[in-house]
Amino acid sequence: MSEQETTGHEWDGIRELNTPLPRWWLWTFYLTILWGIGYCIAYPAIPLVTGNTAGLLGYSSRAELEQTMAMVADERREIIERIASSDLATIRGDEELAQFAIAGGAAAFRVHCSQCHGSGAVGSVGYPNLNDDDWIWGGSLEEIHQTISAGVRDEANDDSRFSEMPAFGADGILEAADIRDVTAHLLALGGREPVTGDANFGSEIYAEQCEVCHGEGGEGMRDLGAPALADAIWLYGSDPDSIMAQVRQPSHGVMPAWGARLGDTVVKQLTLYVHSLGGGE
Amino acid sequence: MTQAGEPELHEVSAVEHHRKGPLYAPRVRIHPKRVRGAFRRLKWWIMAVTLAIYYVTPWLRWDRGPHVSDQAVLVDLANRRFFFFFIEIWPHEFYYVAGLLIMAGIGLFLVTSTVGRAWCGYACPQTVWVDLFLVIERFFEGDRNARVRLDAAPWSANKLRRRGAKHAVWLLIAVSTGGAWIFYFADAPRLAVDLVRGEAPGIAYATIAVLTATTYVLGGLLREQVCIYMCPWPRIQGAMLDENSLTVSYNDWRGEPRGRHLRRNREDDGPRGDCVDCNACVAVCPMGIDIRDGQQFECITCALCIDACNGVMERIGRPGGLISYATLSDYNANMALARGPDGEIDPGRTRAPDGGLADGVRRFSWRIVLRPRTLGYAGVWCAIGIVMLGLLATRDRLELHVVHDRNPLFVRLSDGSIRNGYTIKVLNMQTEPREVTLTIEGLPGARLRLAGATGEPSPSLTFSAAPDALKTAKVYVHLSRADLPGSHSGFHFLAEARDDGEVAAREAVFESPRRDSG
């Protein structure tokens, strides 16, 4: 080592040896500088007061995003047209179409429907759970499509699903004791203890007042949007107080008509999605 | 010209030796001289074998049935599979590759601690391709002296022709190097046709272009600069080598004092070592060093200087091995033997009366290879290999994965029963299609239904799993009100392949509302 030249630098007796770097490495370094300058000229690089230099190539990540989105839209155009021109059963029978429609429907559901029905479509009190097998207005593809498209009790839409249950308590049709008895009958229908009153009296009142819409055994009637009363699913609560409140003065859910807002293709995709959640008929 | 019995003398000095001057040194071109000998022959063979492996491997076929590729070695990035003869690896089995890499690392330790930088000198692609490029250079421009002259000569038609031809063939080799690489990543025969027709994917052409450039630049133009300035391996040799590792060594103890004009000196100036200072070792060195300066990190231990020196020793009637593979401990012992009382090397002390080497001189013994360190490396290497083979022999070819629906966790149905949704993934890692039966264990009364299917839930589901593919299915598990176990109950999904009875199990949880909320 003693024969090797030093740079002349010395710190506390430690001398810096001069081991020359190969010149090609120096050129490589200069080349990277040149590349950097070229890059700054070609691409957006230098921040200015209100913006930045645009670069000679005119590149922008926003424009690239738009291009990508346009490309994606282009790629989807054909399959979306096929969905638009096919009926629901055909879409469901075609694996590719169904997969696309369900994915598209899921995305649309999160934007337009999850506010009331929840992101997992489980609903809450007054907003039906779409995963189960209990359908107020019907769970076939056509029925779901009609419900989404025209809405429920949407005054602005003539085709909207519409029904109204009388306010048996508030309008004085039934006495408070009668309501308790009817509720007792409903509890018995579902296999529960009729704790609120006399189920036998209740069944007579039920036959007079309720059976027309809700059916003899409480099986409900979908044409009228009259829910089944003998099952385990209660839209406004299954405890006796909630049932009595609903008989006294019923709440009625409203859903806007989506057909005109979203267009039929999106509604079709939503239909496929809702139908795929596990309860579709 | 040189007469028999007298060595040719080379006017050459080591390029990588006593550099002085500015901070940035211009490169001094190295013109390695051609050499013949045992190590050169070994290197030709290794070059032929490694290049053959590289170029031929993608074209080997291996029958795996009609459903998957029949390429023996294939890195199928698009489908995320790796095929190696009878082994197929899925992405989640990548730990085999990690194990191989660890074995490669320990193998490198083992080789280095035993025979020094044998990887650098014989098997490293940089060395192999530089050797190949040197053959081409020698073919068009002649051996060392002719190349030195050509370098110095002004541009002429002759120089242009020779240089042009050399670079053209270099580029050809570079293109075929890059061209061979891509065949490992796609079906080789089909890709070859597509490549010629211009229908291959852009990435194939880009890869060829990049590898052509790197091969040409690193193997043809930069050569020894790669080993000296770019490769990290020479820098960590110190940790790998010990005093019992074999390195290419110049044996001062019999070479010094060196001197030219052998005959006259021997008579005139008293004792002379065996080194006739012919510089043959420097002339053949592809790294441009003088091995007589001692161990240097530039030395890739290609052993060509040994061949060169042995040729000279043979010619002057001395035993070979003036430059040899030697361990530091042997070298030190021989140095101690050779030094006289004054500390100067006296070649007479290591020389036998008959002209051979004295009895006390330590020579290479294979026993040095078997020492605790190398045995330790070999043991670890073998252990990892055996564990990997064991894992390979007993690994699953059917796997089941289960993802519980997050939202909703459960759904109450109109009859009061509870439904949970699961996404089931069945990995059929065999190359044949299989019928798989899905059942449930540990959840009495549970029934299964495939999402979208009509009909009542049943205790088991059967579906077909495509060969070498992942089957994804959404299934529902139903439990009637009477069978509900509690709010949170663990159980197992079992997938059983019908043909060979292989079973894959996966733990899952059934969620239901608390009883009191019922």
Tab-separated table of all heavy atoms in Angstrom, chain B residues 256-304:
chain	number	residue	atom	x	y	z
B	256	GLU	N	11.632	-17.250	-6.394
B	256	GLU	CA	12.488	-16.080	-6.174
B	256	GLU	C	13.900	-16.511	-5.796
B	256	GLU	O	14.068	-17.594	-5.200
B	256	GLU	CB	11.871	-15.221	-5.067
B	256	GLU	CG	10.489	-14.685	-5.393
B	256	GLU	CD	10.457	-13.713	-6.561
B	256	GLU	OE1	11.357	-12.828	-6.629
B	256	GLU	OE2	9.573	-13.843	-7.412
B	257	PRO	N	14.898	-15.719	-6.013
B	257	PRO	CA	14.818	-14.499	-6.812
B	257	PRO	C	14.640	-14.829	-8.287
B	257	PRO	O	15.287	-15.733	-8.789
B	257	PRO	CB	16.175	-13.827	-6.552
B	257	PRO	CG	17.009	-14.822	-5.827
B	257	PRO	CD	16.202	-15.986	-5.447
B	258	ARG	N	13.755	-14.099	-8.890
B	258	ARG	CA	13.466	-14.358	-10.306
B	258	ARG	C	14.521	-13.706	-11.182
B	258	ARG	O	15.205	-12.772	-10.737
B	258	ARG	CB	12.079	-13.867	-10.670
B	258	ARG	CG	11.933	-12.359	-10.681
B	258	ARG	CD	10.527	-11.935	-10.972
B	258	ARG	NE	9.665	-11.998	-9.763
B	258	ARG	CZ	8.552	-11.262	-9.632
B	258	ARG	NH1	8.156	-10.449	-10.587
B	258	ARG	NH2	7.839	-11.340	-8.539
B	259	GLY	N	14.640	-14.161	-12.367
B	259	GLY	CA	15.601	-13.521	-13.242
B	259	GLY	C	15.454	-13.983	-14.672
B	259	GLY	O	15.053	-15.127	-14.941
B	260	ARG	N	15.700	-13.084	-15.595
B	260	ARG	CA	15.692	-13.432	-17.018
B	260	ARG	C	17.036	-14.022	-17.401
B	260	ARG	O	17.947	-14.114	-16.585
B	260	ARG	CB	15.394	-12.192	-17.850
B	260	ARG	CG	14.004	-11.672	-17.604
B	260	ARG	CD	13.565	-10.727	-18.671
B	260	ARG	NE	12.111	-10.561	-18.536
B	260	ARG	CZ	11.380	-9.874	-19.401
B	260	ARG	NH1	11.951	-9.291	-20.429
B	260	ARG	NH2	10.094	-9.782	-19.233
B	261	HIS	N	17.172	-14.392	-18.653
B	261	HIS	CA	18.443	-14.902	-19.171
B	261	HIS	C	18.976	-15.998	-18.271
B	261	HIS	O	20.044	-15.928	-17.698
B	261	HIS	CB	19.464	-13.757	-19.309
B	261	HIS	CG	18.841	-12.569	-19.964
B	261	HIS	ND1	18.345	-12.623	-21.246
B	261	HIS	CD2	18.590	-11.324	-19.508
B	261	HIS	CE1	17.825	-11.449	-21.556
B	261	HIS	NE2	17.963	-10.629	-20.525
B	262	LEU	N	18.149	-16.969	-18.155
B	262	LEU	CA	18.287	-18.080	-17.247
B	262	LEU	C	19.706	-18.641	-17.164
B	262	LEU	O	20.315	-18.704	-16.111
B	262	LEU	CB	17.316	-19.155	-17.725
B	262	LEU	CG	17.156	-20.393	-16.892
B	262	LEU	CD1	16.410	-20.061	-15.626
B	262	LEU	CD2	16.397	-21.421	-17.712
B	263	ARG	N	20.239	-19.005	-18.299
B	263	ARG	CA	21.488	-19.774	-18.264
B	263	ARG	C	22.646	-18.948	-17.716
B	263	ARG	O	23.403	-19.380	-16.862
B	263	ARG	CB	21.845	-20.253	-19.669
B	263	ARG	CG	20.922	-21.374	-20.092
B	263	ARG	CD	21.200	-21.784	-21.503
B	263	ARG	NE	20.173	-22.733	-21.919
B	263	ARG	CZ	19.837	-22.902	-23.180
B	263	ARG	NH1	20.432	-22.214	-24.133
B	263	ARG	NH2	18.910	-23.772	-23.491
B	264	ARG	N	22.709	-17.751	-18.236
B	264	ARG	CA	23.851	-16.958	-17.837
B	264	ARG	C	23.785	-16.621	-16.345
B	264	ARG	O	24.746	-16.742	-15.606
B	264	ARG	CB	23.891	-15.662	-18.660
B	264	ARG	CG	25.277	-15.046	-18.752
B	264	ARG	CD	25.195	-13.699	-19.430
B	264	ARG	NE	24.417	-12.758	-18.627
B	264	ARG	CZ	23.541	-11.878	-19.132
B	264	ARG	NH1	23.323	-11.848	-20.427
B	264	ARG	NH2	22.917	-11.054	-18.353
B	265	ASN	N	22.599	-16.230	-15.914
B	265	ASN	CA	22.446	-15.830	-14.517
B	265	ASN	C	22.772	-16.957	-13.559
B	265	ASN	O	23.297	-16.741	-12.486
B	265	ASN	CB	21.029	-15.352	-14.253
B	265	ASN	CG	20.862	-13.923	-14.735
B	265	ASN	OD1	21.855	-13.249	-14.975
B	265	ASN	ND2	19.633	-13.507	-14.894
B	266	ARG	N	22.366	-18.143	-13.954
B	266	ARG	CA	22.535	-19.263	-13.041
B	266	ARG	C	24.032	-19.441	-12.719
B	266	ARG	O	24.404	-19.752	-11.614
B	266	ARG	CB	21.982	-20.528	-13.669
B	266	ARG	CG	21.852	-21.665	-12.669
B	266	ARG	CD	21.303	-22.901	-13.324
B	266	ARG	NE	19.831	-22.912	-13.316
B	266	ARG	CZ	19.122	-23.800	-14.010
B	266	ARG	NH1	19.731	-24.684	-14.783
B	266	ARG	NH2	17.831	-23.801	-13.945
B	267	GLU	N	24.816	-19.198	-13.736
B	267	GLU	CA	26.245	-19.343	-13.490
B	267	GLU	C	26.836	-18.115	-12.788
B	267	GLU	O	27.667	-18.245	-11.898
B	267	GLU	CB	26.990	-19.581	-14.819
B	267	GLU	CG	26.708	-20.974	-15.349
B	267	GLU	CD	26.686	-21.002	-16.869
B	267	GLU	OE1	27.212	-20.046	-17.472
B	267	GLU	OE2	26.143	-21.975	-17.440
B	268	ASP	N	26.321	-16.937	-13.188
B	268	ASP	CA	26.975	-15.722	-12.706
B	268	ASP	C	26.674	-15.362	-11.258
B	268	ASP	O	27.573	-15.160	-10.455
B	268	ASP	CB	26.558	-14.520	-13.570
B	268	ASP	CG	27.144	-14.663	-14.955
B	268	ASP	OD1	27.923	-15.609	-15.145
B	268	ASP	OD2	26.787	-13.856	-15.810
B	269	ASP	N	25.369	-15.260	-10.921
B	269	ASP	CA	25.016	-14.556	-9.688
B	269	ASP	C	24.562	-15.463	-8.562
B	269	ASP	O	23.692	-15.115	-7.786
B	269	ASP	CB	23.874	-13.553	-9.960
B	269	ASP	CG	24.247	-12.638	-11.095
B	269	ASP	OD1	25.452	-12.412	-11.275
B	269	ASP	OD2	23.336	-12.167	-11.785
B	270	GLY	N	25.023	-16.620	-8.479
B	270	GLY	CA	24.614	-17.476	-7.371
B	270	GLY	C	23.234	-18.032	-7.591
B	270	GLY	O	22.764	-18.137	-8.719
B	271	PRO	N	22.524	-18.365	-6.512
B	271	PRO	CA	21.256	-19.092	-6.632
B	271	PRO	C	20.173	-18.248	-7.295
B	271	PRO	O	20.065	-17.047	-7.038
B	271	PRO	CB	20.894	-19.410	-5.190
B	271	PRO	CG	21.608	-18.391	-4.377
B	271	PRO	CD	22.861	-18.053	-5.108
B	272	ARG	N	19.432	-18.926	-8.126
B	272	ARG	CA	18.297	-18.291	-8.796
B	272	ARG	C	17.057	-19.132	-8.586
B	272	ARG	O	17.133	-20.362	-8.579
B	272	ARG	CB	18.561	-18.190	-10.308
B	272	ARG	CG	19.450	-17.042	-10.699
B	272	ARG	CD	18.680	-15.736	-10.627
B	272	ARG	NE	19.619	-14.609	-10.593
B	272	ARG	CZ	19.213	-13.353	-10.326
B	272	ARG	NH1	17.960	-13.089	-10.080
B	272	ARG	NH2	20.091	-12.392	-10.313
B	273	GLY	N	15.878	-18.475	-8.422
B	273	GLY	CA	14.632	-19.215	-8.319
B	273	GLY	C	14.197	-19.735	-9.682
B	273	GLY	O	14.834	-19.469	-10.703
B	274	ASP	N	13.047	-20.456	-9.684
B	274	ASP	CA	12.573	-21.050	-10.931
B	274	ASP	C	11.926	-20.042	-11.860
B	274	ASP	O	11.751	-20.293	-13.048
B	274	ASP	CB	11.556	-22.163	-10.620
B	274	ASP	CG	12.255	-23.394	-10.041
B	274	ASP	OD1	13.477	-23.514	-10.262
B	274	ASP	OD2	11.573	-24.197	-9.380
B	275	CYS	N	11.479	-18.892	-11.316
B	275	CYS	CA	10.787	-17.921	-12.169
B	275	CYS	C	11.792	-17.264	-13.092
B	275	CYS	O	12.757	-16.646	-12.639
B	275	CYS	CB	10.081	-16.859	-11.339
B	275	CYS	SG	9.296	-15.589	-12.365
B	276	VAL	N	11.526	-17.422	-14.408
B	276	VAL	CA	12.439	-16.825	-15.377
B	276	VAL	C	11.940	-15.462	-15.825
B	276	VAL	O	12.433	-14.884	-16.783
B	276	VAL	CB	12.618	-17.753	-16.594
B	276	VAL	CG1	13.319	-19.031	-16.158
B	276	VAL	CG2	11.275	-18.062	-17.234
B	277	ASP	N	10.919	-14.965	-15.128
B	277	ASP	CA	10.395	-13.623	-15.399
B	277	ASP	C	10.002	-13.477	-16.864
B	277	ASP	O	10.249	-12.441	-17.478
B	277	ASP	CB	11.461	-12.578	-15.020
B	277	ASP	CG	10.807	-11.242	-14.672
B	277	ASP	OD1	9.560	-11.230	-14.511
B	277	ASP	OD2	11.530	-10.244	-14.564
B	278	CYS	N	9.356	-14.538	-17.407
B	278	CYS	CA	8.963	-14.485	-18.823
B	278	CYS	C	7.649	-13.758	-19.015
B	278	CYS	O	7.249	-13.457	-20.126
B	278	CYS	CB	8.850	-15.903	-19.380
B	278	CYS	SG	7.506	-16.855	-18.638
B	279	ASN	N	6.948	-13.503	-17.913
B	279	ASN	CA	5.668	-12.784	-17.952
B	279	ASN	C	4.552	-13.525	-18.681
B	279	ASN	O	3.530	-12.929	-19.009
B	279	ASN	CB	5.828	-11.388	-18.591
B	279	ASN	CG	6.496	-10.422	-17.634
B	279	ASN	OD1	6.394	-10.568	-16.419
B	279	ASN	ND2	7.210	-9.450	-18.176
B	280	ALA	N	4.741	-14.814	-18.914
B	280	ALA	CA	3.665	-15.570	-19.573
B	280	ALA	C	2.393	-15.531	-18.739
B	280	ALA	O	1.284	-15.440	-19.264
B	280	ALA	CB	4.112	-17.015	-19.780
B	281	CYS	N	2.559	-15.558	-17.396
B	281	CYS	CA	1.390	-15.544	-16.520
B	281	CYS	C	0.615	-14.236	-16.657
B	281	CYS	O	-0.615	-14.221	-16.566
B	281	CYS	CB	1.801	-15.786	-15.072
B	281	CYS	SG	3.100	-14.690	-14.482
B	282	VAL	N	1.321	-13.138	-16.888
B	282	VAL	CA	0.654	-11.850	-17.038
B	282	VAL	C	-0.021	-11.753	-18.403
B	282	VAL	O	-1.144	-11.261	-18.535
B	282	VAL	CB	1.661	-10.694	-16.848
B	282	VAL	CG1	0.958	-9.351	-16.985
B	282	VAL	CG2	2.331	-10.808	-15.492
B	283	ALA	N	0.678	-12.302	-19.414
B	283	ALA	CA	0.162	-12.180	-20.784
B	283	ALA	C	-1.153	-12.918	-20.958
B	283	ALA	O	-2.006	-12.489	-21.739
B	283	ALA	CB	1.198	-12.708	-21.776
B	284	VAL	N	-1.352	-14.020	-20.237
B	284	VAL	CA	-2.582	-14.795	-20.447
B	284	VAL	C	-3.714	-14.345	-19.533
B	284	VAL	O	-4.855	-14.764	-19.707
B	284	VAL	CB	-2.348	-16.303	-20.199
B	284	VAL	CG1	-1.293	-16.835	-21.168
B	284	VAL	CG2	-1.947	-16.568	-18.762
B	285	CYS	N	-3.413	-13.476	-18.567
B	285	CYS	CA	-4.424	-13.161	-17.552
B	285	CYS	C	-5.557	-12.318	-18.123
B	285	CYS	O	-5.326	-11.218	-18.614
B	285	CYS	CB	-3.794	-12.419	-16.372
B	285	CYS	SG	-5.009	-12.059	-15.093
B	286	PRO	N	-6.790	-12.800	-18.067
B	286	PRO	CA	-7.914	-12.013	-18.589
B	286	PRO	C	-8.265	-10.835	-17.691
B	286	PRO	O	-9.030	-9.955	-18.094
B	286	PRO	CB	-9.059	-13.031	-18.635
B	286	PRO	CG	-8.734	-14.030	-17.582
B	286	PRO	CD	-7.232	-14.110	-17.541
B	287	MET	N	-7.730	-10.818	-16.465
B	287	MET	CA	-8.027	-9.723	-15.552
B	287	MET	C	-6.907	-8.682	-15.548
B	287	MET	O	-7.024	-7.647	-14.898
B	287	MET	CB	-8.219	-10.239	-14.124
B	287	MET	CG	-9.319	-11.270	-13.985
B	287	MET	SD	-10.935	-10.655	-14.511
B	287	MET	CE	-11.210	-9.421	-13.260
B	288	GLY	N	-5.810	-8.975	-16.238
B	288	GLY	CA	-4.743	-7.993	-16.339
B	288	GLY	C	-3.944	-7.821	-15.071
B	288	GLY	O	-3.452	-6.723	-14.789
B	289	ILE	N	-3.814	-8.876	-14.256
B	289	ILE	CA	-3.011	-8.733	-13.042
B	289	ILE	C	-1.734	-9.559	-13.161
B	289	ILE	O	-1.587	-10.378	-14.066
B	289	ILE	CB	-3.785	-9.173	-11.778
B	289	ILE	CG1	-4.205	-10.638	-11.902
B	289	ILE	CG2	-4.960	-8.279	-11.538
B	289	ILE	CD1	-4.773	-11.196	-10.616
B	290	ASP	N	-0.820	-9.307	-12.236
B	290	ASP	CA	0.400	-10.108	-12.127
B	290	ASP	C	0.238	-10.944	-10.867
B	290	ASP	O	0.290	-10.423	-9.756
B	290	ASP	CB	1.613	-9.185	-12.028
B	290	ASP	CG	2.926	-9.975	-12.025
B	290	ASP	OD1	2.866	-11.191	-11.751
B	290	ASP	OD2	3.974	-9.354	-12.283
B	291	ILE	N	0.018	-12.250	-11.056
B	291	ILE	CA	-0.265	-13.116	-9.909
B	291	ILE	C	0.904	-13.134	-8.932
B	291	ILE	O	0.750	-13.440	-7.758
B	291	ILE	CB	-0.633	-14.539	-10.403
B	291	ILE	CG1	-1.228	-15.389	-9.276
B	291	ILE	CG2	0.572	-15.253	-11.001
B	291	ILE	CD1	-2.553	-14.901	-8.778
B	292	ARG	N	2.088	-12.755	-9.429
B	292	ARG	CA	3.273	-12.784	-8.559
B	292	ARG	C	3.247	-11.671	-7.515
B	292	ARG	O	4.053	-11.643	-6.596
B	292	ARG	CB	4.545	-12.698	-9.410
B	292	ARG	CG	4.720	-13.934	-10.289
B	292	ARG	CD	5.826	-13.745	-11.290
B	292	ARG	NE	5.551	-12.602	-12.155
B	292	ARG	CZ	6.400	-12.152	-13.090
B	292	ARG	NH1	7.578	-12.737	-13.243
B	292	ARG	NH2	6.074	-11.135	-13.850
B	293	ASP	N	2.282	-10.731	-7.647
B	293	ASP	CA	2.134	-9.707	-6.615
B	293	ASP	C	1.390	-10.246	-5.397
B	293	ASP	O	1.168	-9.530	-4.426
B	293	ASP	CB	1.352	-8.500	-7.161
B	293	ASP	CG	2.156	-7.768	-8.221
B	293	ASP	OD1	3.389	-7.973	-8.275
B	293	ASP	OD2	1.567	-7.015	-9.011
B	294	GLY	N	0.944	-11.473	-5.479
B	294	GLY	CA	0.214	-12.065	-4.354
B	294	GLY	C	-1.289	-12.059	-4.612
B	294	GLY	O	-1.750	-11.701	-5.706
B	295	GLN	N	-2.046	-12.446	-3.603
B	295	GLN	CA	-3.506	-12.485	-3.731
B	295	GLN	C	-4.060	-11.098	-3.993
B	295	GLN	O	-3.690	-10.132	-3.346
B	295	GLN	CB	-4.111	-13.020	-2.433
B	295	GLN	CG	-4.309	-14.507	-2.439
B	295	GLN	CD	-5.242	-14.949	-3.547
B	295	GLN	OE1	-6.381	-14.523	-3.588
B	295	GLN	NE2	-4.746	-15.768	-4.463
B	296	GLN	N	-4.959	-11.010	-4.993
B	296	GLN	CA	-5.594	-9.735	-5.318
B	296	GLN	C	-7.068	-9.971	-5.563
B	296	GLN	O	-7.442	-11.022	-6.083
B	296	GLN	CB	-4.969	-9.150	-6.588
B	296	GLN	CG	-3.515	-8.764	-6.432
B	296	GLN	CD	-2.746	-8.954	-7.723
B	296	GLN	OE1	-2.809	-8.112	-8.596
B	296	GLN	NE2	-2.039	-10.072	-7.843
B	297	PHE	N	-7.880	-8.987	-5.209
B	297	PHE	CA	-9.315	-9.250	-5.359
B	297	PHE	C	-9.722	-9.303	-6.823
B	297	PHE	O	-10.763	-9.815	-7.176
B	297	PHE	CB	-10.149	-8.233	-4.571
B	297	PHE	CG	-10.353	-6.916	-5.267
B	297	PHE	CD1	-11.423	-6.743	-6.124
B	297	PHE	CD2	-9.482	-5.848	-5.059
B	297	PHE	CE1	-11.623	-5.537	-6.770
B	297	PHE	CE2	-9.682	-4.643	-5.703
B	297	PHE	CZ	-10.743	-4.487	-6.559
B	298	GLU	N	-8.870	-8.783	-7.735
B	298	GLU	CA	-9.196	-8.880	-9.154
B	298	GLU	C	-9.116	-10.314	-9.655
B	298	GLU	O	-9.714	-10.656	-10.670
B	298	GLU	CB	-8.241	-8.018	-9.991
B	298	GLU	CG	-8.426	-6.515	-9.825
B	298	GLU	CD	-7.480	-5.946	-8.779
B	298	GLU	OE1	-6.973	-6.727	-7.952
B	298	GLU	OE2	-7.259	-4.715	-8.797
B	299	CYS	N	-8.339	-11.157	-8.970
B	299	CYS	CA	-8.103	-12.519	-9.461
B	299	CYS	C	-9.383	-13.345	-9.385
B	299	CYS	O	-9.958	-13.503	-8.309
B	299	CYS	CB	-7.011	-13.196	-8.640
B	299	CYS	SG	-6.736	-14.903	-9.140
B	300	ILE	N	-9.832	-13.866	-10.548
B	300	ILE	CA	-11.038	-14.691	-10.544
B	300	ILE	C	-10.685	-16.172	-10.465
B	300	ILE	O	-11.534	-17.029	-10.644
B	300	ILE	CB	-11.915	-14.417	-11.780
B	300	ILE	CG1	-11.126	-14.679	-13.061
B	300	ILE	CG2	-12.438	-12.989	-11.763
B	300	ILE	CD1	-11.985	-14.658	-14.317
B	301	THR	N	-9.434	-16.482	-10.223
B	301	THR	CA	-8.922	-17.861	-10.142
B	301	THR	C	-9.356	-18.712	-11.329
B	301	THR	O	-9.894	-19.795	-11.173
B	301	THR	CB	-9.345	-18.576	-8.832
B	301	THR	OG1	-10.739	-18.840	-8.862
B	301	THR	CG2	-8.984	-17.779	-7.623
B	302	CYS	N	-9.097	-18.166	-12.529
B	302	CYS	CA	-9.407	-18.942	-13.727
B	302	CYS	C	-8.313	-19.958	-14.014
B	302	CYS	O	-8.492	-20.850	-14.829
B	302	CYS	CB	-9.588	-18.034	-14.932
B	302	CYS	SG	-8.086	-17.154	-15.408
B	303	ALA	N	-7.150	-19.793	-13.335
B	303	ALA	CA	-6.067	-20.775	-13.389
B	303	ALA	C	-5.339	-20.821	-14.722
B	303	ALA	O	-4.537	-21.730	-14.972
B	303	ALA	CB	-6.564	-22.172	-13.007
B	304	LEU	N	-5.605	-19.852	-15.601
B	304	LEU	CA	-4.906	-19.872	-16.891
B	304	LEU	C	-3.419	-19.581	-16.718
B	304	LEU	O	-2.578	-20.069	-17.481
B	304	LEU	CB	-5.541	-18.861	-17.853
B	304	LEU	CG	-6.967	-19.206	-18.277
B	304	LEU	CD1	-7.500	-18.184	-19.271
B	304	LEU	CD2	-7.033	-20.604	-18.881
